[in-house]
Amino acid sequence: MFFQQVINGLTVGSIYALVALGYSMVYGVLQIVNWAHADVMMVGTFIGMTLISMLHVPVVAMIILAAGATALIGMGVERVAYRPIKVNRRMAVLVSALGMSVFLQNLAQLVWGSGSRPLAIIARKTFAAGSVSFTNLQIIITLVTLFMLFVLYVLVYKTKIGVAMRACSTSIENAKLMGINTNLIISATFALGSFIAGIGGVLIGAYYNSVYPTMGYLLGMKAFSAAILGGIGSIPGSVIGGYLIGLIESLGAGYISSNYRDAYSFLVMIIILALRPSGIMGAKRIDKV
């Protein structure tokens, strides 16, 4: 039973990690929380569902197109809800983000209805190894996640745009003085985080075979908790936090009670943050006065 719960936990943890990356990337650059991030992901997932169910687009092309649409929506949210507001006006940014979140939820209900829609991308096959069973979809989710993490690592640490992103995360003002187009880098950060989250949304929709307008709320809360747990602003921390949240949730449901599976991860997060407020890999920020 233990290994079965570990496999299930790693599967959902992969999704949490993909979505948590968007929160950390935006926070790392702008020091704000993009509360509309999960709802941007939700709209992208609905677009993917439409592409495969109504237009019969091949699965790989559907995932790429849905993630691309999610990236464009993420850039639009940054342009409309964040850029016109000065970042240091934290309350205004928070209200704008929450407003965009509600707008996207209502837009999805207007276009696709308020009910749940199925999202089946492949025929499921179950494999067994002793007492442990897993599906081909779980394998795909894990492999896609590892591939996207590798691509993100190369992009952030081995390319010029990645250097510019890291420069902006250190200091926006200093990055401007060095000639970096910070508005372009901020848009690219929103686009990249949303693209990865769009892939995560399609995968979680396929895993549970369900897409609905409020799916971003709980998934977003867990992904944000993963980012906080790992150390928001830290890309490796978000990945570690995502997998920890998934494992804690799965093991708690398997050994204690599945009725409270959503509470276990939040409880552990509170305990860890009480001991280490900056998260597992978060760096302490020192403000000089």
Side-chain angles (χ1 to χ4, degrees):
M1 182 178 178
F2 172 78
F3 291 106
Q4 183 66 65
Q5 296 301 329
V6 168
I7 290 175
N8 296 339
L10 291 176
T11 302
V12 295
S14 297
I15 308 298
Y16 296 156
L18 289 178
V19 182
L21 286 170
Y23 286 109
S24 274
M25 291 173 67
V26 171
Y27 186 86
V29 173
L30 291 178
Q31 300 298 303
I32 61 173
V33 178
N34 179 16
W35 291 113
H37 179 61
D39 294 293
V40 170
M41 175 215 69
M42 174 270 298
V43 175
T45 307
F46 265 111
I47 292 173
M49 181 272 298
T50 303
L51 289 173
I52 198 168
S53 64
M54 296 184 180
L55 302 179
H56 307 291
V57 175
V59 173
V60 175
M62 180 274 286
I63 294 175
I64 295 174
L65 290 173
T70 310
L72 292 175
I73 296 169
M75 293 173 65
V77 167
E78 183 273 328
R79 188 67 181 85
V80 172
Y82 294 106
R83 191 177 298 184
I85 303 173
K86 292 183 178 180
V87 175
N88 59 356
R89 298 175 60 187
R90 297 298 175 89
M91 187 58 67
V93 171
L94 173 62
V95 172
S96 180
L98 293 176
M100 182 57 68
S101 174
V102 173
F103 169 77
L104 291 174
Q105 286 186 30
N106 282 272
L107 178 64
Q109 291 183 41
L110 179 65
V111 176
W112 290 285
S114 59
S116 176
R117 300 286 192 91
L119 177 58
I121 60 175
I122 59 170
R124 296 201 187 197
K125 295 181 180 179
T126 303
F127 307 95
S131 61
V132 177
S133 64
F134 52 92
T135 66
N136 54 344
L137 185 57
Q138 288 179 304
I139 297 174
I140 290 172
I141 288 173
T142 303
L143 292 178
V144 169
T145 299
L146 293 176
F147 174 73
M148 290 308 302
L149 293 178
F150 172 76
V151 170
L152 180 63
Y153 171 81
V154 172
L155 186 62
V156 171
Y157 293 101
K158 303 295 182 180
T159 65
K160 288 184 178 180
I161 192 170
V163 172
M165 285 180 179
R166 287 184 284 135
C168 289
S169 68
T170 301
S171 172
I172 287 283
E173 296 303 323
N174 288 341
K176 288 180 181 179
L177 293 175
M178 295 178 68
I180 295 174
N181 186 340
T182 54
N183 283 334
L184 177 62
I185 296 304
I186 290 169
S187 292
T189 302
F190 272 83
L192 182 58
S194 299
F195 184 90
I196 295 172
I199 294 176
V202 171
L203 294 177
I204 198 71
Y207 186 64
Y208 291 113
N209 195 23
S210 179
V211 183
Y212 49 94
T214 57
M215 65 178 289
Y217 174 73
L218 188 57
L219 177 58
M221 288 294 292
K222 291 181 180 180
F224 179 65
S225 298
I228 293 291
L229 179 62
I232 192 164
S234 168
I235 291 177
S238 296
V239 176
I240 293 172
Y243 281 112
L244 279 177
I245 292 289
L247 287 171
I248 292 166
E249 178 183 299
S250 182
L251 291 172
Y255 286 98
I256 303 174
S257 173
S258 60
N259 294 328
Y260 307 104
R261 64 181 304 143
D262 295 329
Y264 304 133
S265 53
F266 294 118
L267 178 61
V268 172
M269 180 193 71
I270 292 171
I271 295 172
I272 291 178
L273 291 182
L275 301 174
R276 184 177 172 81
S278 60
I280 295 172
M281 297 191 68
K284 294 182 179 180
R285 301 182 66 90
I286 300 175
D287 294 326
K288 295 183 179 180
V289 295

